[in-house]
Amino acid sequence: MAENNNQLQIELKPEVADGIYSNLAILTHSSSEFVADFVQMMPGMPKAQVRSRIIMAPEHAKRLLMALQDNVQKYEKQFGTIRLTQPQQQNEARTIAPFTIKQGEA
């Protein structure tokens, strides 16, 4: 019997394993890519910092969406419904944040 050599091996480096805290995601796209900026906003700090940027092809963005939907469903089945603190407004559609982001004026 032949061994399956098609198994994907993934390396998780120590500097990545700790993860990055983000409480805001800003999503944008063009015809060829989706960009997700993961931001850390802290109380009393004048600036929010982009902690990580992920760029992916539209097909991968859709796969990510499907994987997130599947995982949220599994989570809610095990732990109960995730309640959002406030409904997302129309002008907030490009961000994922637990708070309202006011648009700046020039």
Side-chain angles (χ1 to χ4, degrees), residues 2-64:
E3 289 185 35
N4 183 357
N5 291 328
N6 293 332
Q7 186 175 6
L8 178 64
Q9 295 185 15
I10 298 174
E11 178 183 2
L12 181 60
K13 295 181 179 182
E15 62 270 16
V16 176
D18 286 338
I20 295 172
Y21 177 75
S22 172
N23 54 2
L24 169 65
I26 301 172
L27 307 171
T28 56
H29 68 277
S30 69
S31 62
S32 61
E33 62 195 15
F34 277 72
V35 178
D37 285 329
F38 294 93
V39 179
Q40 184 181 80
M41 294 183 67
M42 300 304 286
M45 299 298 290
K47 281 187 178 179
Q49 292 184 347
V50 174
R51 304 291 292 178
S52 183
R53 172 174 276 188
I54 306 297
I55 303 168
M56 62 188 87
E59 295 85 0
H60 295 304
K62 191 158 189 176
R63 287 187 186 102
L64 175 62

Side-chain angles (χ1 to χ4, degrees), residues 63-100:
R63 287 187 186 102
L64 175 62
L65 171 65
M66 292 170 19
L68 283 169
Q69 287 174 327
D70 180 56
N71 276 270
V72 167
Q73 288 173 352
K74 289 175 182 174
Y75 176 95
E76 290 184 328
K77 185 176 182 180
Q78 183 175 357
F79 300 108
T81 301
I82 300 169
R83 303 213 187 282
L84 300 177
T85 56
Q86 59 186 350
Q88 190 166 357
Q89 302 297 317
Q90 183 69 21
N91 62 350
E92 297 176 56
R94 293 179 305 173
T95 66
I96 303 169
F99 40 78
T100 301

